Amino acid sequence: MNKVDALKNLAVAIGCATSVDNVTGTSIVEVLNFIAAHYNGGKDCDSLTVTSAAGTQTGYTKITVKPSLTSGNSYVYKTSPSNIDPPVVGDDMSALTAWDGTSEIQGEDSHKIGIYEVDVNKKAVKFGQTVMTVNIG
């Protein structure tokens, strides 16, 4: 593998592109310029405003999120008894639980819930969290 191909693979690995075919440039300088223009590492995710209300079923919460979901993206979530560290743009969220944006979520009252908007590759784009209000019956 030559250095240009290695840099193209690096660009994919750090989230600058979804495949090496999408990385433009035929020289080291051109590929480095592509990486510089497309690398989001370390950038805070845009914020989501997340609210929670008691769900209709015991043990569930009704979550609302603003702004609306960006076309082509989806939601995932996780819960925790304490604050959830916010991700940076491009963090891999593929291990989290998918959420359709409307279904009630089972959880523990007063625990935190983090809602992540992710792109098609399950990379973080936006994030918000709130304390869950759960129907305790």
Side-chain angles (χ1 to χ4, degrees):
M1 175 181 302
N2 65 41
K3 292 176 183 174
V4 171
D5 290 338
L7 283 172
K8 287 184 176 187
N9 285 329
L10 174 65
V12 172
I14 62 174
C16 296
T18 55
S19 79
V20 292
D21 296 331
N22 297 332
V23 180
T24 58
T26 57
S27 71
I28 291 172
V29 171
E30 289 172 342
V31 175
L32 286 173
N33 285 335
F34 176 90
I35 291 171
H38 294 89
Y39 181 63
N40 289 320
K43 179 183 175 224
D44 290 338
C45 287
D46 289 340
S47 294
L48 295 173
T49 300
V50 179
T51 57
S52 173
T56 59
Q57 302 176 60
T58 300
Y60 284 78
T61 184
K62 171 70 176 157
I63 298 294
T64 55
V65 179
K66 298 224 184 287
S68 300
L69 188 64
T70 304
S71 179
N73 289 351
S74 60
Y75 292 123
V76 296
Y77 74 92
K78 79 175 187 179
T79 63
S80 173
S82 57
N83 278 337
I84 298 168
D85 291 332
V88 295
V89 171
D91 279 357
D92 183 9
M93 301 291 121
S94 60
L96 301 184
T97 304
W99 178 53
D100 62 13
T102 59
S103 297
E104 294 183 357
I105 297 173
Q106 190 171 17
E108 297 287 328
D109 196 54
S110 299
H111 279 203
K112 295 281 188 156
I113 184 165
I115 304 292
Y116 304 75
E117 182 173 329
V118 295
D119 63 18
V120 295
N121 298 305
K122 302 297 183 210
K123 304 293 185 183
V125 177
K126 298 177 186 176
F127 171 76
Q129 68 180 305
T130 193
V131 175
M132 286 191 289
T133 301
V134 173
N135 180 339
I136 55 172

